[in-house]
């Protein structure tokens, strides 16, 4: 356990999030989750904004979308999780100059990194784009007990009563929530609803996700028209 804690500390792979700030303060990546995207415009925009490598990354993202179209749902989940877990973990304060910035998927791809909420958000919207139903996906705030910090993951529910599978940038292998004893769920949400979690299940419905201000603010910035420049260039 000490070795594991040391590795987490050295790589800074846990988000230092304020639960109070998040709860006080979360449309889709596109107007419709599965609408046709203008790949040429998106690639050109990210390349001009963030550089040539950003254009290549978003092109690779489009390749993932194309390759995953005919896969089973669980294979889509695995492919998307593997793709985004190749990106770099960087604290918000270092990357964006503020303690808790929720980057859009295009910003995350453009800059080549982010913290745990950025990994989770990018996976969520990409799976929506691939046709995975919204009610099967939950962006989930947890307490990572191994380091005593809050952390964010994406949960996938294959069926309404299923134990969710956890998509995480810390433990890159997708596992059932029952195997992630290091994570204590706090609350979760998707594009419609908010739940308070008391166990590794669906939790208690607590109303609309519109109650989460950072989610609402994020939705207003989706797409490529309002891309933000980081204060730290990763490449």
């Amino acid at each position: 356990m000490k070795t594991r804690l040391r590795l987490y500390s050295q790589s800074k792979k846990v988000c230092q999030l304020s639960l109070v700030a998040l709860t006080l303060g979360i449309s889709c990546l596109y107007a419709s989750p599965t609408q046709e995207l203008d790949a040429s415009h998106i690639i050109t925009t990210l390349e001009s904004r963030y550089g040539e490598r950003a254009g290549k990354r978003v092109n690779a993202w489009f390749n993932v979308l194309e390759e995953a179209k005919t896969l089973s749902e669980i294979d889509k989940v695995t492919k998307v999780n593997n793709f985004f877990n190749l990106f770099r973990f960087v604290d918000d304060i270092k990357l964006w100059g503020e303690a808790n910035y929720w980057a859009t998927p295009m910003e995350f791809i453009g800059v080549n990194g982010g913290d745990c909420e950025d990994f989770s958000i990018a996976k969520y919207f990409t799976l929506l784009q691939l046709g995975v139903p919204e009610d099967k996906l939950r962006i989930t705030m947890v307490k990572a007990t191994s380091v005593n910090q809050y952390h964010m993951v994406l949960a996938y529910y294959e069926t309404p009563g299923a134990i969710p599978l956890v998509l995480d940038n810390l433990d890159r292998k997708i596992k059932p929530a029952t195997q992630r004893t290091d994570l204590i769920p706090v609350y979760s949400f998707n594009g419609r609803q908010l739940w308070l979690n008391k166990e590794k299940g669906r939790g208690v419905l607590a109303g609309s996700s519109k109650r989460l201000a950072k989610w609402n603010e994020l939705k207003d910035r989706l797409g490529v028209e309002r891309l933000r420049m980081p204060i730290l260039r990763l490449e």
Side-chain angles (χ1 to χ4, degrees):
M1 178 60 73
K2 290 183 179 179
T3 301
R4 187 180 180 188
L5 287 173
R6 220 171 19 248
L7 289 173
Y8 280 173
S9 176
Q10 290 169 356
S11 59
K12 296 184 179 179
K13 295 255 181 168
V14 173
C15 297
Q16 298 177 7
L17 301 175
S18 167
L19 179 61
V20 174
L22 283 172
T23 53
L24 292 178
I26 176 199
S27 146
C28 297
L29 179 52
Y30 320 104
S32 173
T34 56
Q35 76 175 50
E36 191 68 26
L37 303 177
D38 187 343
S40 178
H41 173 65
I42 293 172
I43 293 170
T44 300
T45 302
L46 261 70
E47 189 173 71
S48 64
R49 188 69 169 163
Y50 300 115
E52 181 180 357
R53 291 185 179 179
K56 292 180 178 179
R57 280 191 299 275
V58 75
N59 186 65
W61 178 76
F62 275 108
N63 288 339
V64 167
L65 293 181
E66 183 63 29
E67 293 166 3
K69 282 195 305 186
T70 59
L71 296 179
S72 67
E73 200 166 86
I74 189 61
D75 286 340
K76 289 178 181 179
V77 169
T78 300
K79 192 173 187 68
V80 168
N81 187 62
N82 290 343
F83 175 76
F84 281 112
N85 281 345
L86 296 174
F87 285 68
R88 294 177 59 179
F89 178 92
V90 189
D91 287 324
D92 282 338
I93 195 67
K94 293 181 179 179
L95 186 59
W96 300 106
E98 61 182 80
N100 186 29
Y101 179 71
W102 288 18
T104 68
M106 293 299 101
E107 289 172 332
F108 181 60
I109 292 172
V111 303
N112 193 29
D115 65 3
C116 59
E117 75 264 21
D118 304 325
F119 281 87
S120 301
I121 289 166
K123 293 172 186 179
Y124 171 80
F125 283 114
T126 300
L127 288 170
L128 286 184
Q129 183 64 34
L130 285 169
V132 176
E134 185 176 56
D135 61 5
K136 291 188 174 185
L137 300 171
R138 299 263 193 95
I139 299 173
T140 305
M141 173 63 67
V142 299
K143 184 73 171 293
T145 59
S146 58
V147 288
N148 196 34
Q149 291 180 348
Y150 290 105
H151 178 55
M152 191 173 279
V153 299
L154 179 63
Y156 165 75
Y157 295 79
E158 188 171 10
T159 63
I163 296 296
L165 300 178
V166 178
L167 285 66
D168 189 5
N169 64 294
L170 289 179
D171 186 338
R172 298 187 176 192
K173 184 177 180 180
I174 296 175
K175 296 176 180 177
T178 49
Q179 293 183 20
R180 292 301 305 272
T181 57
D182 57 317
L183 304 179
I184 300 174
V186 179
Y187 71 85
S188 60
F189 61 92
N190 58 23
R192 298 176 183 172
Q193 296 177 310
L194 167 69
W195 294 264
L196 298 179
N197 294 77
K198 297 182 179 180
E199 56 187 20
K200 295 187 187 307
R202 283 198 167 263
V204 178
L205 185 62
S208 170
S209 57
K210 291 181 180 179
R211 294 177 59 188
L212 297 171
K214 294 199 82 60
W215 179 243
N216 295 326
E217 191 270 337
L218 169 72
K219 291 190 295 181
D220 289 339
R221 295 184 287 103
L222 291 173
V224 294
E225 307 311 318
R226 297 178 59 188
L227 297 171
R228 179 170 170 175
M229 287 297 294
I231 63 171
L232 174 67
R233 297 300 295 264
L234 297 180
E235 53 195 20

